[in-house]
Every structure is written in C-alpha cells, then in structure tokens.
Amino acid sequence: RVPIPSDSAFLKALLLELKLEDEHLFVEHRDTCTRISHSCVHSVPTAAGELWPVLAFHKSGLIYACVPLVEGSLEPRPALLTVTGLSQGLALLLGIMDYVSPSRKNEAELSSKVGQLRTLLIQACPLGTPLNTNIRSLSSSFEDIQEMPVDKEQPAWRSSSYKGKPQVNVCIAEKVKCMQYDQRDAVDTWQVYGAVNCKCDIEGCAPNVTLSLTLPSNAPPLQDIVVHHCVTSVDPAMLLSTSAEPLHDSVYNGPYKFPFIPPSDSFDLCYYTSQVPVPPILGCYQLVEEGSQIKITVNLKLHESIKNSFEYCEARIPFFNRGPIAQLEHKVSYGQLDLFREKSLLVWVIGQKFPKSLEVSLTGTLSFGTVGKEHPTDYVCTGNTAYVKLYFRIPDFTLTGCYVDQHSVQIFVPGKPKITASRELISSDYYIWNSKAPAPMVFKPLLD
C-alpha cells in the first residue's frame, strides 16, 4: 500500500507525470521508451513509492483526476479491465466534466460550480464509492439531499421512486473523428465512438431491465466496451474485445446484452468503439499560392452507404496568419458559401442533402489584407499547411449500423411499457488537410 500524499505533493507529482511541468526536460521515469502509454491510467511517483492507479486526464484547461481503490494484490499489477474502480472512477470524472465544462469560459460561474463540488460529491460518493455519476442531476443544497433508500432491495443509485406508466427512452449517439490527407506518405485515419444513453421511468425499488444492441450481419464488431456500474452481469469476452488488436475471426461479435437496474435519472449505459471500413465523407483539399493570391479547391463525396439526410452539413475553411479576406471569387457546385472577412473564414453550407451524384465541389481565389493582432493565428497552420473542418449530424443513423430493437427491450414489471429508441451520427474533429503542404500526421507508413 502506498499512502496518498498531501494535496500539494500529489499535484506537483501529477503535473510532472502529465507533462504539464518540465515538459521540455527528459524525466527518466516518465519519458523512457518503456513507459509509452496511450491510456489515462498513470503511475505517479511519490516519496513513499509509486502510487497506482491514478486516473487523470487534461481537458480544456482543467485536470480531472481520482485514485481508484484496487481490492486485491498489486503484485503482479492486475489488468486494467479487472479493476472495477477504474470504470467507476472514469464515470465519475466524466460526470464532473459534464457538470463543470459548460462554465469553463465564465470564470465566476466556474468558480461557483467548483465550490459546490464538495457538496455534490458527498451525495455522489457518500462513502467513497460512486453511487450516482450524473453530477448535474444532484442538488447543491444540503437541505434537499434525499435520504438513502430504506428498502433493502433498492440500489443506492435509485434515489427516487417513479409513479406512472413505464417508459424507456434509449438514444445511441455515435461520434466520428477523421484525419484525411490525400497524400502518399500519410495514412488517413478515422475512429467511431458510441454512447448508449438511457432514461428509464419505471415503478418499483429495483426494476430489472435488459437491453440488447443489434448490428447488421456484415458490420464490424463493437470494441473497447465500458459499461455503467448499474449493469448486473455481462459476458467477460465482450469487455476484452479491444481495438488495439487487429480484427480476426475469434473477435467477440455479440450478442451485446446488458441486464441492469436503472438509476432514476438519465445515464450512459455503455460506451464503445468500432473499426468501420470507410469514413462517411471523403474529401480532398488543395491550397496553393500564386503570386499575391491563394487558390483553393475542395471536393467532397458522401459514401454511398451513408444515409443522405442531414440535420446540417457544412465545411468551415479557416485561413490563419494571413489577415482579413480582402477579395474572393468562387464557384460552388452545390449549397452556398458564406464569407466572414474579419475572421478570415469561409463557411460552405451544404445543407440537408448531397446531390444525386453524392459529390460537391468548391473552387475559389482569395487575397488578404494586412494581418493584425485581432486576426486568427495558429502555430500548426503556418505556410500553406491548412485544413477544412466538417460539421454534420445525421439523425436516425449510426456509422456502425448499431440500433436498439424495441421488441428486444425486456422490463420485468406489470403493464406494457412504452419504448422509444433513437440514434444519431455526429462529426467530431473531422479534418481534411491541404494535400499540397505538410500536415500533422497521426500515423506515417513504412515505405519500401
């Protein structure tokens, strides 16, 4: 056992581990090749020894961290998937981030919310174990804290009892990240992240619900699955399927069945990833300088397997370190182009559908005025390094094909429940880089 150090000592050690302090120096325990890590689970050196596991990540200028309890031997160090405290801790930190992050640009509001966290965490973790990770649903007043349930069968995370017709709302939200280069020496990458959100209004102190996720027969399997602590049992093979390993025939491919006792409020039943074969929109961006002018060409193609029905779809084309847009001549094959001169930004509104050809194009010639402090700058996008960023949402569609069959939802309570299921695909960090200039790469292939 390694005791947790004082707040100041822990913070100093954590900042060093996260490379937020002395990042320009080589620190052997942190920077050696044997310590390459892609997870947010850290081993933090302290005066009394290595403190492990420390769950910590840096997001939007704030550090979220906790020290989960490991019930069992630490030698040899157990696999992360076997430490239940990690998934509980991650759910708690994500709940805190969801509560705090909307206020991070307003310093007074952020300070107020951080000040209320202690009261909220007493409700969320009354004895150190997370019982309700939806921090936003909790009351910031001690007077409004509900008593713990007296029914022995009622889980602590069901803080209130519902009266009325049983109903279940399920929403599958998938986000797709993408980096496209259209260059021989750069590998295009894309990732899909899914979350299954549930809201169960059901009478009873401990109602049992079973929900199944369904995939098309030819779809790649769901991987990196993390479940909410209210899930009562799950096939261990489901949790061991990871995207860190290549797909093969023995990879777990279902069924994805989740029996659980739902909390009173909305919650994320599970998270997952999937190795889908193609990104939803393929793009090519070319930016070249000709004298004092810049010529751009953007081509986008919607993959034929994607539902051609958007709530919105637009491409934003920023120009950094160049000053305001002084002149613009352009031609679009579809949609409309909006110009924001002082922001050095073009917004191509494609709309709610691609044309029948599923292809759209934009060409333009621009010139810029004198750059000033008020104009956008960027340390990455120097020279002709530039990008197009796509923003879109497709309702009633998922890239994996994952859906909830309403008839597969089982609720063991009297009365016929009302089941509502929805799904959506949303872009997240969807970049298309200028193929005529260097670009930051996630992976670089080994060339012969």
Side-chain angles (χ1 to χ4, degrees), residues 36 103 114 128 174 249 264 290 305 318 360 386 398 424-425 429 448:
I36 295 175
S103 307
V114 171
E174 288 187 354
D249 292 340
S264 308
E290 293 187 1
S305 65
V360 294
T398 51
E424 62 181 8
L425 176 67
D429 296 335
D448 295 333

Side-chain angles (χ1 to χ4, degrees), residues 264-301:
S264 308
D265 298 298
S266 173
F267 70 102
D268 288 327
L269 177 66
C270 68
Y271 303 96
Y272 63 84
T273 68
S274 181
Q275 301 183 50
V276 294
V278 292
I281 298 176
L282 295 166
C284 174
Y285 179 34
Q286 294 185 348
L287 179 151
V288 294
E289 290 192 49
E290 293 187 1
S292 61
Q293 294 183 322
I294 284 180
K295 291 196 172 183
I296 63 168
T297 303
V298 184
N299 295 306
L300 301 175
K301 181 179 181 181

Side-chain angles (χ1 to χ4, degrees), residues 228-347:
H228 192 275
H229 58 76
C230 73
V231 175
T232 53
S233 65
V234 71
D235 189 329
M238 185 197 304
L239 301 180
L240 293 172
S241 179
T242 170
S243 59
E245 298 175 359
L247 290 174
H248 48 79
D249 292 340
S250 62
V251 170
Y252 184 88
N253 60 357
Y256 303 98
K257 183 175 286 189
F258 303 91
F260 59 97
I261 300 174
S264 308
D265 298 298
S266 173
F267 70 102
D268 288 327
L269 177 66
C270 68
Y271 303 96
Y272 63 84
T273 68
S274 181
Q275 301 183 50
V276 294
V278 292
I281 298 176
L282 295 166
C284 174
Y285 179 34
Q286 294 185 348
L287 179 151
V288 294
E289 290 192 49
E290 293 187 1
S292 61
Q293 294 183 322
I294 284 180
K295 291 196 172 183
I296 63 168
T297 303
V298 184
N299 295 306
L300 301 175
K301 181 179 181 181
L302 181 68
H303 194 270
E304 57 268 17
S305 65
I306 306 302
K307 180 182 178 183
N308 190 9
S309 179
F310 295 77
E311 180 182 309
Y312 57 85
C313 181
E314 65 182 39
R316 298 186 185 181
I317 311 168
F319 300 93
F320 296 101
N321 314 307
R322 293 186 183 274
I325 298 173
Q327 288 184 313
L328 169 66
E329 295 179 5
H330 73 278
K331 180 181 179 182
V332 291
S333 66
Y334 194 78
Q336 69 179 48
L337 188 68
D338 295 332
L339 167 63
F340 298 86
R341 291 185 186 276
E342 291 303 316
K343 293 183 179 179
S344 308
L345 174 69
L346 299 178
V347 178

Side-chain angles (χ1 to χ4, degrees), residues 50-115:
E50 293 271 330
L51 185 62
W52 183 93
V54 175
L55 190 59
F57 56 89
H58 181 225
K59 185 77 172 176
S60 302
L62 296 173
I63 300 171
Y64 300 86
C66 68
V67 183
L69 174 68
V70 180
E71 297 182 283
S73 173
L74 290 175
E75 295 294 340
R77 188 167 287 181
L80 298 183
L81 286 171
T82 64
V83 182
T84 56
L86 284 173
S87 59
Q88 293 178 347
L90 181 59
L92 179 65
L93 292 182
L94 291 174
I96 294 173
M97 185 177 73
D98 186 49
Y99 169 72
V100 169
S101 59
S103 307
R104 64 182 180 81
K105 292 184 179 179
N106 185 323
E107 196 167 324
E109 189 178 339
L110 177 61
S111 179
S112 173
K113 283 195 171 183
V114 171

Side-chain angles (χ1 to χ4, degrees), residues 164-166 202-204 411-417:
K165 184 177 180 181
I202 306 170
E203 291 188 0
I411 305 177
F412 303 95
V413 293
K416 186 178 180 181

Side-chain angles (χ1 to χ4, degrees), residues 366-386:
L366 304 93
S367 61
F368 296 85
T370 304
V371 63
K373 290 183 179 179
E374 70 275 15
H375 300 118
T377 59
D378 189 273
Y379 294 109
V380 174
C381 295
T382 57
N384 287 351
T385 298

Side-chain angles (χ1 to χ4, degrees), residues 117-176:
L117 264 182
R118 178 175 173 80
T119 304
L120 297 173
L121 287 175
I122 288 174
Q123 300 173 64
C125 315
L127 295 172
T129 300
L131 302 180
N132 184 355
T133 58
N134 186 358
I135 306 297
R136 287 200 296 182
S137 70
L138 301 174
S139 169
S140 59
S141 168
F142 276 114
E143 287 74 18
D144 294 337
I145 296 177
Q146 297 185 12
E147 293 183 6
M148 295 294 286
V150 294
D151 192 314
K152 292 183 179 180
E153 294 183 0
Q154 182 170 344
W157 60 81
R158 280 187 67 80
S159 57
S160 61
S161 298
Y162 172 78
K163 298 293 182 183
K165 184 177 180 181
Q167 51 187 357
V168 175
N169 290 288
V170 184
C171 177
I172 302 176
E174 288 187 354
K175 291 185 177 181
V176 55

